[in-house]
Amino acid sequence: MGMGSRPASTSTGGEKKGEERVLSHGDVVLIRSDLAILRGPRFINDRIIAFYFAHLSAGLGDDLLLLPPSIPYLLSNLPDPASVAAVAEPLRLASRRLVLLPVNDNPDASVPEGGSHWTLLVLDNTTSPSGPRFVHHDSIRGAPNLPVASHLADALRPLLLQSDSRRRGAVPVVEGPTPRQPNSYDCGVYVMAIARAICGWWKSGHGGHRGGDWFEAVRREVDADSVKAMRSELLQLITTLIQDKANASSTSEGNKTSNTD
């Protein structure tokens, strides 16, 4: 969590001026300092979460949506429901089966490196006919980020069940089972590990079973050991993607040279 320690990140953070770019992946640009963060023990920033969510999203289809941290943070801080509706409209939240929303407790968007804790809020539309719900996963005992996650849920709730205004307020926020982090800096890795477990559960076909949920997958797959290993796995993934891009660029340059001979 990092209360009283160095901040985890801000949900509006971007590329640091002057830092070397190491990988462009979709809309995300990773820089050299992101690799140092993963080597740890350091708090995870929004670029790393956005990168991994983009990686997880590949091949999932339209029913499951993983949002980069900047989008939930923006939705939480817009001034009125009309602004929220305008930003959220292209996301089609009500038509998705699952939406994964990273939550950061940064109270001031103007403060760089603000916030001290990451959690995951899931919009769960798989529980028909009982209607949608929000499930919050917080790796710190007592769920200190619940008020922040509930504020985001409050902003999104009017967009759900719009055809039945009587039920609109009945979209609850519940705490999902979440393994506890044993340190003050791994909350962001827990968010990514839980997202990976949810995506694996979904791809295995369990997401289509009415009334089921991903809770057992989280209990089974996410713990202190798997979270520690995930930092190394992410570094290896990034290294592989960098090498793949370099190889592709080399092949392309070789083809151009051959064509000019």
Side-chain angles (χ1 to χ4, degrees):
M1 175 172 140
M3 295 292 187
S5 304
R6 184 178 173 189
S9 180
T10 171
S11 289
T12 57
E15 181 183 346
K16 291 184 178 180
K17 186 176 180 180
E19 285 229 32
E20 179 189 358
R21 298 184 179 197
V22 295
L23 177 67
S24 295
H25 186 74
D27 295 329
V28 183
V29 176
L30 295 179
I31 58 180
R32 182 68 58 187
S33 61
D34 296 329
L35 305 184
I37 287 172
L38 282 171
R39 293 187 184 101
R42 299 272 298 278
F43 297 109
I44 297 299
N45 63 27
D46 15 359
R47 279 188 304 276
I48 295 171
I49 294 176
F51 158 76
Y52 191 60
F53 274 32
H55 173 72
L56 286 176
S57 295
L60 284 178
D62 290 338
D63 283 340
L64 199 164
L65 176 66
L66 289 81
L67 291 175
S70 58
I71 301 300
Y73 190 78
L74 173 63
L75 292 169
S76 288
N77 287 279
L78 290 171
D80 53 65
S83 300
V84 174
V87 171
E89 192 274 334
L91 303 176
R92 299 185 291 108
L93 299 179
S95 67
R96 312 282 187 173
R97 301 293 303 281
L98 289 173
V99 182
L100 276 57
L101 307 113
V103 177
N104 185 274
D105 65 348
N106 179 15
D108 187 350
S110 68
V111 178
E113 300 289 325
S116 58
H117 192 31
W118 289 108
T119 55
L120 184 67
L121 186 68
V122 182
L123 171 56
D124 178 14
N125 274 318
T126 67
T127 55
S128 178
S130 61
R133 63 177 179 170
F134 292 99
V135 179
H136 184 230
H137 289 278
D138 193 326
S139 57
I140 292 290
R141 188 176 302 279
N145 244 23
L146 181 57
V148 184
S150 295
H151 179 70
L152 174 58
D154 289 343
L156 300 180
R157 194 172 283 115
L159 307 176
L160 309 173
L161 303 171
Q162 291 182 345
S163 62
D164 188 349
S165 60
R166 179 179 57 84
R167 294 184 59 200
R168 196 178 300 166
V171 184
V173 179
V174 301
E175 279 295 320
T178 311
R180 302 306 179 198
Q181 64 186 82
N183 54 50
S184 63
Y185 50 81
D186 266 339
C187 51
V189 190
Y190 275 81
V191 166
M192 294 187 288
I194 292 166
R196 178 174 63 182
I198 293 173
C199 290
W201 167 83
W202 179 264
K203 289 193 290 187
S204 69
H206 293 95
H209 295 171
R210 181 171 295 182
D213 60 44
W214 57 89
F215 293 172
E216 183 55 37
V218 169
R219 292 189 185 99
R220 183 177 62 250
E221 298 174 24
V222 182
D223 57 27
D225 290 336
S226 66
V227 165
K228 182 178 180 180
M230 192 172 194
R231 286 180 177 265
S232 297
E233 291 165 5
L234 282 170
L235 282 167
Q236 183 58 55
L237 171 63
I238 292 167
T239 299
T240 299
L241 291 173
I242 291 172
Q243 189 60 54
D244 288 347
K245 284 183 176 290
N247 291 341
S249 176
S250 176
T251 300
S252 176
E253 289 299 319
N255 290 339
K256 289 179 181 179
T257 300
S258 298
N259 292 334
T260 58
D261 287 346

